[in-house]
Amino acid sequence: MQKIILAIESSCDETSIAIIKGNKLLSHVITNQKIHADYGGVVPELASRYHQKNIVNILQQALQKANLTLNQLHAIAFTQGPGLLGSLLVGSCFAKGLAYSLSLPLIAVHHIKAHVLANFIEDPKPNFPFLALIVSGGHTQLIHVKDYFDMTLLGQTKDDAIGEAFDKIAKTIHLPYPGGIWIDRYAQQGNPQTFTFPTTKVPGLDFSFSGIKTAFSQFIQKNNTPSFIQENRYDICASIQEALINILINKVDKALEITSVDQVVLGGGVAANSALRKKMYTMGQEKGFQLFVPRQKYCTDNAAMIAITAYYQLKIKDFSNYKAPALAKMNI
């Protein structure tokens, strides 16, 4: 009999619940907290408060879409970390309460591993081993994936994540939050060769984005006139996006030489960036690797990726207990 798992994601500001039967997704509900746009970034206290406000309603919607009741579930999964601690606590406590009241097993899911395994929600699916580039507002990591739960961290950011860099740069030129979407949109109408921005050289496969943020801020201060930014907005966005994405591309190139894999997957919210996808597809044709990218709704934080990860954990009986803590930081 195929097991039915209800999965909860609450690591940042998206409240999401998905239900999966076997490896088939039955329902997936996600709510974004728009209030953070007023502050130009996620406010942790508000995020946890809105998770509490939304989670019961989202549970009801997920069950209704799947045409199921709570009594038909076989397991409860939740995001254990990494993420915002307050947000994680809302999801984990809610999951534990459900599991305890229904006498169901509990599955604690690693958020980054779930981003990797989001590529297994739909066909086509990658084959092991492969290289994963996880890029979001909180994470920038290169991971060598040998099996569903055999993952080795090859490199990560030493300071800011690339998604955070996108958003802070966008804020500098007065674009709405989340700014990465707007930079991508404007960049499609600009020339990426118009302006040049220096990048910090980091040895190995690690990343750094603080230097390019500083360089961009100095560039704007030097040219801080409304007419300059307005007249050159498209070219500015295209040029800074080009510089940021090239940092990723260069590290992926080095990782391919080290791992000798012929498949690469993307994950995380920044994986929705059109320029990154285009460059990675082009690179795949030149280097001879196959690229896998989830649909956009599975790139950003979502419960479907928690559900598919829990499906594979259930197969190996990787259960948790009610004392499993929410963890703001977790190693791969």
Side-chain angles (χ1 to χ4, degrees), residues 12 79 84 87 91 98-99 123 132-133 179 181 185 204 207 255 270 273 300 314:
C12 192
T79 302
L84 299 178
S87 295
L98 275 179
D123 291 327
L133 175 64
I181 297 171
R185 187 176 299 173
F207 304 86
V270 181
N273 180 278
T300 54
L314 182 63

Side-chain angles (χ1 to χ4, degrees), residues 39-41 165-177 179 183 216:
Y39 300 91
F166 266 117
D167 288 339
K168 288 184 177 179
I169 285 169
K171 190 175 182 179
T172 304
I173 53 175
H174 312 295
L175 295 180
Y177 177 85
I183 289 179
F216 186 83

Side-chain angles (χ1 to χ4, degrees), residues 231-244:
E231 292 170 6
N232 296 279
R233 179 166 291 183
Y234 297 143
D235 290 339
I236 290 172
C237 288
S239 298
I240 191 62
Q241 179 172 265
E242 178 84 355
L244 287 167

Side-chain angles (χ1 to χ4, degrees), residues 92 95-106 320-325:
S92 64
K96 291 172 185 178
L98 275 179
Y100 182 80
S101 65
L102 298 168
S103 299
L104 296 178
L106 191 65
S320 181
N321 58 53
Y322 300 120
K323 295 182 179 180

Side-chain angles (χ1 to χ4, degrees), residues 5 66-67 176 204 206 225 242 277 282 292 295 305 322:
I5 305 171
N67 195 26
D206 288 327
T225 63
E242 178 84 355
R277 290 182 178 223
T282 300
F292 294 84
R295 276 200 285 167
M305 70 182 193
Y322 300 120

